[in-house]
Structure formats: C-alpha cells, structure tokens
Amino acid sequence: TLGGKQTDFSELKATITSILEDNKIRSPRRLATVFRSLKALNEKFSHAVPPEMPSTLPDDFFTCCTKCLSCGAKCTLTAKHQQENIPHQCPEQCLYNKELDNEILKCLQCHRNGHDTVVHGKLTAANDTLVQGIIKYMWSGFVIECPKHGEIYRSRQFWYGNNEPKDKTHTEITHVWPGDSNSRRTSDVTPRKVVELLRSAGSCLVAPKKMLTEMVADQIAPTYWASNKDVHECSSCKLQFGLEYSKHHCRVCGYIFCDTCTTHRAVVPLLETTTPERVCDQCFRKLQSHTLSLIFQTNDANSQRTNSLDSEISDNDSTINPTSYSIPMSRRFLELVKNNVAPVVYDYPIEVIKEHTRPSYWRPDSECHHCFICKHSFNNTTHRLHHCRKCGEGVCDKCSPNKRIVPERDWMTPERVCKSCDQMIDD
C-alpha cells in the first residue's frame, strides 16, 4: 500500500492474461515444458557449440502449423501430436464451406444428455430389408436413425405438417484439416446395394449370354483363329476362363488369350491394314523386333493350324494364301460396333451409375491405380479393382479374401473387406 491506499494490479493482470491467451503465434506452454526447454538450452550452451548440432528442444515446445481448410484457424496442439494418434483440435468456431460440406448432424436427445452421436439421412433403415426399405422410402421419404434412440425422423411421415430435420437433430460446423479422411461422415450405401443386387440378379444370364456370344463370334471369325468352344484357358498364363473372364484372339497367331496377356496394340502387315490391332505379348515383341515369322502354313484350303506357336518358317519354304489372313467383313462390322457404339451406349452409362452410387468414403476408381496393400497394379483378370466396405480403399482379390459385417457403414450382411480391416475387426 502507498499512502494507505491498496495498489490496483487489475490492469497488469489483464495484460498478462491477454498475452497468455494469445494463441495466434504459439500455443500456451505448461510450466514443465518451459522448464525442460530452459534446461535444454542451458545444457546446450554450457560448452563449446559444435558447427552442426541437432535441435534438443522437446517437440511439445513448438506449435502445430496445420490450418483448417474451411476457416483457416490453426491447430492449438503441440507439434507432432499426430504421432500419438491425437487429432487436430481448435476451440474456435468454424465456418461452413459448401464444397467441403463440413456440417454434421447430431441426435438432439443424445446431445441434451451430454453425448454426441453423429447421425445422417439414409434411404432405408438399418432393420429393413433392401426391398422393404425402398418401399418405405417411396411412401415416407428418407430416414434419420440414432444407434441409441432408433428412428428419430422421417421426411414424409405425415400427409402434411412434417417436421424439419433441425427439429430432431443438433447441427454443428466442424473443422476440416488437410489429409483428414472422410470416415467421420458416414455415407448412405443404399444406392450401391441396389446396384449390387441388380448385378447379382443379372449374373444368372451370364452363362447363356456368353455361350451365344462365342457361338456368333466363331461363325464370323477368320479361318486361322482358334475356336472359342475348344479353348478353356489362356494360351500364355493358363488362366481358366470360366464365366468370369473374357477370351481374346491375337490378330497375328490367332490363339486365344486373356485380357492381361493382350494389352498391346500393333499394326499387323499380314492383315493389310494401318489400324493397330490386338496382339499377344509374344507376337508384339516379334513385331517390334522385325523378326515376325509365319505362324501358319497353308497345307490345304481350310488353312489348318501348325503344331507350335514359336515355329518360324523361312520365305523360301512356305507359301501364303492371302485369304487365310483376311478378316471377314462381318467380323470387322462387329468390332466397329463394339469399339465405337458399345462404349457410348453401354460402358459410359455404367460408369456414370457406378460413380453416382459410390459411397463418399470410397476412393474414386480414377484414383485407384494399384492395390492399397500389395501395391500391385490393377488389371481385368488376376488383379481386379475392389473396394473394402470398411475403409473404402481399392484392393485386389488376393488382399480382400474375406467377408465381414460392417455395421458402422450400414453393411448388415457379410461384405468384402481388406486384410487390414479384417485383422482390425478381430482385434
């Protein structure tokens, strides 16, 4: 006291408080962190400083520099907190971004009870079958379910006077951090279930369709092509075709291969065309090295096949019947329709439907170039692209052999999961 008056430290206290709460440059440090930092500096400079010395300051002395993609606010945690599996945090209120869609819904009853349960709109309820759920959706609209309180909202529950989703849910705007997965936002998988149901129903027609297609193809095939009905495995990798894999003819040798063994396209001089045609790997190497030999020897009018694919016949000992390598006009017309009309009429709509029914947590097909686990490149035969129903990553057949129930993703029946997620479920 001075002159009998008590000293007023309120202004000093307010200044110190404002400085300590200022997190724009750094996050507040605990006293133990400040002590360790001063101790490390004292030990570092108590002797001669070498030319190069790594930093001895603890990691929690520095602030995480990651910023929210929506509002630009910085994370208030210490550096390298993600190594301890601690997510980014920021107490500031975030701003809504339509592109990032960072608005989430929480069950209102759970929120009032002190629990945060994230909910979302779906076409069908969890306890309904696919057909039953679609019928309910057509009559009563979409549904919002809570794991604890069940069905909490229907968009067309009554003829008139229906509530809004905000009347039954609590809306929050969340921060979006770089590299943050969208696993926190659940996606409705009902459209994908419908596509897979139609695909499984259409699989009953695969056998007669393939038999009819091969029969027509044999009728209009060139004479030196192998017959589809006589070949059941790839001539190179010995892959069994069955009903799952397609057969392809090499335009040079005429043997049947799988799609993986006929990825090359080359101009075949014997066909007298400048358009690149499908060839197998062995014939492609011969065409590239300019050592392509004759594969067939015309012993009769029907151009019987020779005994070996690798036999090379010199020009002086063989004669070529030009008609044996001619492609019938009917076959050319079929390939013209298949290569130009089919991608527009069939393939393009299928790709559009697959993309629009893809759950949001699935990685897009355009970004899946190799298996997420084994890193093997995808193809149309032995390493086809599949999506894990739990993590949404693109994996191959060998890395996703098991099927499990994934209730947190609304897959109530056993579905394909990768080895990593399968092990995680067991643990």
Side-chain angles (χ1 to χ4, degrees):
T1 59
L2 180 61
K5 297 182 180 180
Q6 188 175 1
T7 306
D8 185 11
F9 292 100
S10 59
E11 184 177 357
L12 177 62
K13 181 180 178 181
T15 303
I16 295 176
T17 302
S18 62
I19 294 176
L20 292 177
E21 293 180 352
D22 184 11
N23 299 331
K24 295 182 179 179
I25 300 178
R26 61 176 178 80
S27 59
R29 281 83 168 178
R30 294 178 297 178
L31 292 178
T33 302
V34 176
F35 174 76
R36 290 199 304 270
S37 302
L38 295 177
K39 182 180 179 181
L41 291 173
N42 182 54
E43 294 176 354
K44 180 176 180 179
F45 294 103
S46 61
H47 53 79
V49 181
E52 297 181 359
M53 175 177 286
S55 175
T56 56
L57 295 177
D59 293 336
D60 52 2
F61 181 79
F62 301 98
T63 307
C64 180
C65 59
T66 306
K67 293 184 178 181
C68 174
L69 299 177
S70 180
C71 64
K74 292 181 62 177
C75 175
T76 57
L77 298 181
T78 57
K80 297 183 179 180
H81 62 88
Q82 288 183 300
Q83 295 182 354
E84 302 176 0
N85 295 326
I86 301 177
H88 298 288
Q89 296 181 8
C90 181
E92 298 182 12
Q93 182 66 30
C94 189
L95 302 177
Y96 176 71
N97 190 306
K98 185 176 181 180
E99 296 181 356
L100 298 176
D101 190 20
N102 57 336
E103 182 183 58
I104 61 175
L105 302 177
K106 295 184 178 181
C107 178
L108 186 59
Q109 299 182 37
C110 294
H111 180 72
R112 291 173 178 175
N113 297 333
H115 304 286
D116 288 335
T117 305
V118 179
V119 295
H120 63 284
K122 300 185 298 181
L123 297 181
T124 61
N127 297 329
D128 295 338
T129 61
L130 183 59
V131 178
Q132 183 181 5
I134 293 177
I135 295 175
K136 283 187 177 181
Y137 167 74
M138 296 174 62
W139 181 259
S140 304
F142 69 89
V143 60
I144 298 180
E145 281 187 310
C146 173
K148 297 180 180 180
H149 299 94
E151 183 177 315
I152 61 176
Y153 177 77
R154 275 282 182 179
S155 60
R156 295 195 304 269
Q157 187 175 3
F158 308 103
W159 286 100
Y160 61 91
N162 292 288
N163 296 325
E164 295 293 333
K166 62 181 180 181
D167 298 331
K168 299 293 184 179
T169 59
H170 174 72
T171 305
E172 285 189 7
I173 310 298
T174 59
H175 293 282
V176 181
W177 307 103
D180 188 14
S181 63
N182 58 358
S183 58
R184 58 181 177 85
R185 295 193 296 271
T186 310
S187 173
D188 189 13
V189 297
T190 304
R192 185 68 188 186
K193 290 181 180 179
V194 175
V195 172
E196 294 184 355
L197 178 63
L198 296 176
R199 180 183 297 176
S200 60
S203 61
C204 302
L205 304 176
V206 172
K209 176 186 174 183
K210 187 172 184 180
M211 183 182 301
L212 181 61
T213 302
E214 293 182 354
M215 185 184 303
V216 174
D218 287 339
Q219 296 297 324
I220 61 177
T223 55
Y224 71 96
W225 279 17
S227 178
N228 287 293
K229 64 179 181 180
D230 299 332
V231 180
H232 304 287
E233 63 179 15
C234 176
S235 301
S236 178
C237 65
K238 306 303 178 183
L239 174 71
Q240 296 292 328
F241 290 115
L243 299 177
E244 188 175 1
Y245 305 111
S246 301
K247 301 177 182 178
H248 301 281
H249 286 83
C250 173
R251 270 43 173 183
V252 177
C253 62
Y255 282 93
I256 296 179
F257 301 87
C258 64
D259 184 77
T260 305
C261 297
T262 55
T263 56
H264 298 291
R265 301 294 186 272
V267 178
V268 183
L270 299 175
L271 299 181
E272 298 181 355
T273 178
T274 58
T275 304
E277 302 287 346
R278 181 189 294 268
V279 295
C280 63
D281 297 340
Q282 185 176 1
C283 292
F284 179 77
R285 289 192 296 267
K286 292 181 179 181
L287 287 172
Q288 293 297 104
S289 60
H290 301 286
T291 59
L292 178 63
S293 62
L294 298 178
I295 308 301
F296 295 104
Q297 184 179 12
T298 53
N299 296 328
D300 52 25
N302 294 326
S303 301
Q304 298 293 331
R305 305 179 64 86
T306 57
N307 295 328
S308 174
L309 174 65
D310 299 326
S311 63
E312 297 186 1
I313 308 174
S314 61
D315 296 336
N316 297 330
D317 298 334
S318 64
T319 58
I320 306 175
N321 184 2
T323 60
S324 63
Y325 280 92
S326 62
I327 305 295
M329 187 58 63
S330 55
R331 178 68 195 185
R332 293 185 182 275
F333 178 76
L334 178 62
E335 293 183 355
L336 179 65
V337 173
K338 185 185 299 184
N339 297 332
N340 296 277
V341 180
V344 179
V345 177
Y346 178 77
D347 295 340
Y348 179 74
I350 290 298
E351 294 299 326
V352 173
I353 293 175
K354 289 174 58 178
E355 181 62 25
H356 281 76
T357 58
R358 177 180 59 85
S360 60
Y361 71 96
W362 281 18
R363 185 176 295 277
D365 293 354
S366 58
E367 299 179 6
C368 298
H369 305 291
H370 53 77
C371 178
F372 180 72
I373 297 180
C374 66
K375 307 303 179 183
H376 193 285
S377 299
F378 291 117
N379 54 42
N380 294 328
T381 52
T382 56
H383 288 80
R384 289 184 172 180
L385 170 62
H386 302 281
H387 285 88
C388 173
R389 278 14 180 208
K390 183 173 177 63
C391 64
E393 294 290 346
V395 291
C396 63
D397 291 304
K398 297 180 180 179
C399 296
S400 56
N402 299 327
K403 294 185 177 182
R404 304 293 291 268
I405 298 177
V406 189
E408 63 271 18
R409 299 292 192 186
D410 289 338
W411 298 101
M412 299 305 176
T413 57
E415 300 290 342
R416 181 187 299 271
V417 294
C418 63
K419 292 181 178 179
S420 301
C421 294
D422 186 44
Q423 182 66 31
M424 189 183 304
I425 294 174
D426 291 334
D427 296 340

